[in-house]
Amino acid sequence: MSLELDDRYSRQVLFPQIGAEGQKRLSRSRVAIVGCGATGSALATLLARSGIGMLRILDRDYVEPSNLQRQSLFDENDARESLPKAIAAARQIARFNSQIVVESHVADLIPTNVDGLLHGVDLVLDGTDNFETRYLVNDFAVKNSVAWIYAAAVGSYTLTLNILPGETACLACVFPDPPRGTVETCETAATEAVKFLVGARAKMRRTLLSWDVWNNERAEVGAARPRPGCRACGERKFIHLAGEGRPHITLCGRNSVQIHEQQRPVDFAEMTTRLSPHGTVRHNEFVLKFFPAPYEMTLFPDGRAIIKGTTDTALARSLYARYVGS
C-alpha cells in the first residue's frame, strides 16, 4: 500500500496521535479476531477500514436472518446462502477495502488448533460469546506473550479489558471463575486496538471498563498489575490450553447444540445422497443444511455440526449418530 498515492487514510494521517508513521505501522500489523458475530463483525469492519495489514477472522458459525439486525458485515444474500461468517466477512471486506489481506477460518477454536490459528499475530481481539473460548485465548496469550482485548456485552451492558501479558492483569486475574450473564462490545475495543498497533501502548486503558448505555452507568475496576497467585500469569498453569474438562458437545446460541467431538472429513455430495430420503438437503462448498423436521442440522466439512431445534445434548448426539454416524 502506498500512503503517498492513496488518500484513503488521509484523515487518520492528519490525526497527530496516528500520523504517517502510525498509519504505516497499522499497514504492517497482523490481527486475529476470534468470533465474527455482532462484536467481531464491528471490529473487523472498523479495523479493515482503518488500513490494518492482515486480519485473520475465526468463526465456527454461519449467517442466519436473525443475525442481520446487529451483525453489520452481513447481508440477506449471506443469510440466504447460509455462508459461514468468516467467509462472508472476508467477501464483504474485499468490497470496501481490497488493499488488506483477510484470512478466513471456519473453525471452532479449541486446544488442538489454537496454536496454529493464533500464531504470528500482533494482537488478538475477542468477538466470542462464551468464557470457555476466552479463557483458552487468555492461556495462549499469556503463555506466548501476545496482547489481547477482552470485550463482552449483554443487553445494554458492556465490558472490555486490555490484557498485556506480564504487564497488566489477565482475564484469570480479574475473573478466576466465569462471571454470569455476559455474552458479546466493539467501538471501544477497536480504539484500544489501534492505540496498541500504532505504538501508543502507554495510552491504553489499564482498567476493566463497564458501561450500561441504557441507564448511563459507568464503572471501572483497576487492572494495571497481574494478581498475585493468578493461575495463568502467576502460576503459569494453562488448564484451558490443556483442554481440561472441555466438553465435546455445547449449547450454541438459542435452541441449538454444537457437536464438535467428531473430526472426520465429510463429502457433501455423498452425504446429500444419503440424507435426501430423510428430509430436505442443500449445500454449498462450505456447509450442508439438512432439515429432518422439526430439527435443522448444519454440517461442516470437518464433521462438526450444529443441531438447531433443541437444547438437549443427548438428543443432539442421537440425531448426529443417526444421520451422520457415531
Side-chain angles (χ1 to χ4, degrees), residues 12 33 36-52 55 57 71-74 89 92-93 96-97 100 186 190:
Q12 287 179 185
I33 299 178
C36 199
T39 301
S41 62
L43 287 169
T45 299
L46 292 166
L47 289 181
R49 291 183 185 279
S50 76
I52 216 77
L55 275 179
I57 300 175
Q71 298 183 18
S72 57
L73 260 183
F74 311 127
Q92 295 283 16
I93 289 170
F96 65 76
N97 194 344
I100 71 171
C186 42

Side-chain angles (χ1 to χ4, degrees), residues 1-8 99:
M1 173 177 58
S2 171
L3 294 176
E4 292 77 21
L5 298 176
D6 188 352
D7 68 352
R8 177 193 295 258
Q99 294 180 333

Side-chain angles (χ1 to χ4, degrees), residues 156-309:
S156 63
Y157 182 70
T158 71
L159 288 167
T160 184
L161 174 69
N162 299 326
I163 298 163
L164 306 174
E167 192 173 332
T168 68
C170 77
L171 187 68
C173 290
V174 179
F175 300 118
D177 298 303
R180 296 183 177 182
T182 55
V183 290
E184 297 185 281
T185 189
C186 42
E187 287 84 355
T188 301
T191 301
E192 295 297 309
V194 170
K195 290 180 189 177
F196 176 82
L197 296 170
V198 301
R201 193 182 184 109
K203 297 294 185 181
M204 295 181 73
R205 183 175 27 78
R206 307 300 174 105
T207 63
L208 172 70
L209 172 65
S210 65
W211 201 310
D212 188 322
V213 296
W214 190 264
N215 295 309
N216 297 310
E217 295 175 348
R218 181 182 185 278
E220 292 189 69
V221 176
R225 296 286 183 272
R227 176 177 58 84
C230 171
R231 68 168 179 266
C233 63
E235 300 176 0
R236 301 191 68 78
K237 294 179 179 177
F238 303 120
I239 61 174
H240 298 278
L241 276 179
E244 295 181 16
R246 182 180 178 87
H248 295 299
I249 298 179
T250 54
L251 298 181
C252 181
R254 293 185 178 181
N255 202 30
S256 299
V257 175
Q258 178 184 212
I259 296 179
H260 45 90
E261 62 186 331
Q262 305 290 346
Q263 292 292 320
R264 65 173 82 192
V266 176
D267 183 323
F268 284 168
E270 185 277 331
M271 188 64 68
T272 297
T273 300
R274 188 205 304 183
L275 296 177
S276 292
H278 306 288
T280 301
V281 187
R282 57 184 175 86
H283 74 267
N284 54 34
E285 62 182 301
F286 306 111
V287 296
L288 180 146
K289 304 278 286 189
F290 172 49
F291 302 86
Y295 308 106
E296 175 185 313
M297 178 184 294
T298 302
L299 191 62
F300 296 85
D302 62 357
R304 186 169 55 87
I306 295 175
I307 314 294
K308 191 174 182 180

